[in-house]
Amino acid sequence: MIQRPPADIGQKLEEVDTPALILDMDGFEKNQKTLFNLVKGRVRVRPHAKTHKCPEVAKRQMALGALGMCCQKVSEAEAMVDGGVHDVLVSNEVVGAPKLARLAELSRRAKLGVCVDNAANVLQLKAAGANVDVYIEIDVGMHRVAVGVPGHGH
């Protein structure tokens, strides 16, 4: 089934089928250029796609200097890669055989990174055949991940 876009260029705002991403392109481009000019040479920028969930926006961000995109879930990473974004960090742990298999398949089509918070997850990624960069999440006191910092209550 082909899904119709929620709006057409020039359509009246009240006629847009919500939810829909609507950008003021002049403002968007100005903000992106400001960000990338401010950090140029000091930090690497990897925006999170959860705000826009749009590969075209991601590609514009990358054209201005972003090294890739962050996604929270495998399905979001799949949408980015399918839309032409080929450097994605899944900024959450991926568990469960079906999702690990999808991540492994996706790693054959794009440069991927994934966050882990325990050694077993690294072994699961390897067993699934995922060719990914691994980022270790460390609990610095918020108690949201499993790898604790010695002396901080874990």
Side-chain angles (χ1 to χ4, degrees):
M1 178 174 121
I2 297 175
Q3 186 174 2
R4 185 186 175 291
D8 294 311
I9 295 173
Q11 186 174 357
K12 292 180 183 178
L13 187 58
E14 60 270 10
E15 296 173 353
V16 174
D17 184 21
T18 60
L21 175 65
I22 300 175
L23 291 176
D24 172 337
M25 289 307 293
D26 292 335
F28 168 79
E29 290 175 358
K30 179 182 176 199
N31 288 341
Q32 294 299 301
K33 287 177 183 174
T34 298
L35 167 68
F36 291 107
N37 286 334
L38 285 171
V39 301
K40 189 178 286 184
R42 292 192 291 263
V43 297
R44 295 177 296 168
V45 176
R46 184 183 287 275
H48 209 298
K50 69 181 172 185
T51 303
H52 54 73
K53 296 187 181 193
C54 178
E56 289 305 314
V57 170
K59 288 189 281 190
R60 287 174 184 259
Q61 289 174 308
M62 291 175 71
L64 289 168
L67 62 104
M69 297 304 295
C70 284
C71 294
Q72 195 67 8
K73 306 182 326 182
V74 174
S75 60
E76 294 170 355
E78 288 168 329
M80 286 292 125
V81 172
D82 289 345
V85 177
H86 297 289
D87 191 331
V88 178
L89 169 63
V90 179
S91 56
N92 200 11
E93 297 78 26
V94 177
V95 296
K99 287 182 185 169
L100 288 164
R102 287 170 43 207
L103 187 72
E105 189 280 324
L106 198 59
S107 74
R108 290 187 272 284
R109 300 191 290 131
K111 181 179 188 288
L112 294 183
V114 66
C115 292
V116 300
D117 67 358
N118 66 73
N121 196 208
V122 175
L123 297 174
Q124 293 166 347
L125 288 164
K126 184 176 180 178
N131 181 18
V132 295
D133 294 334
V134 174
Y135 297 82
I136 301 169
E137 286 200 60
I138 298 173
D139 185 349
V140 293
M142 296 181 69
H143 311 297
R144 294 176 58 183
V145 294
V147 179
V149 176
H152 286 276
H154 285 278

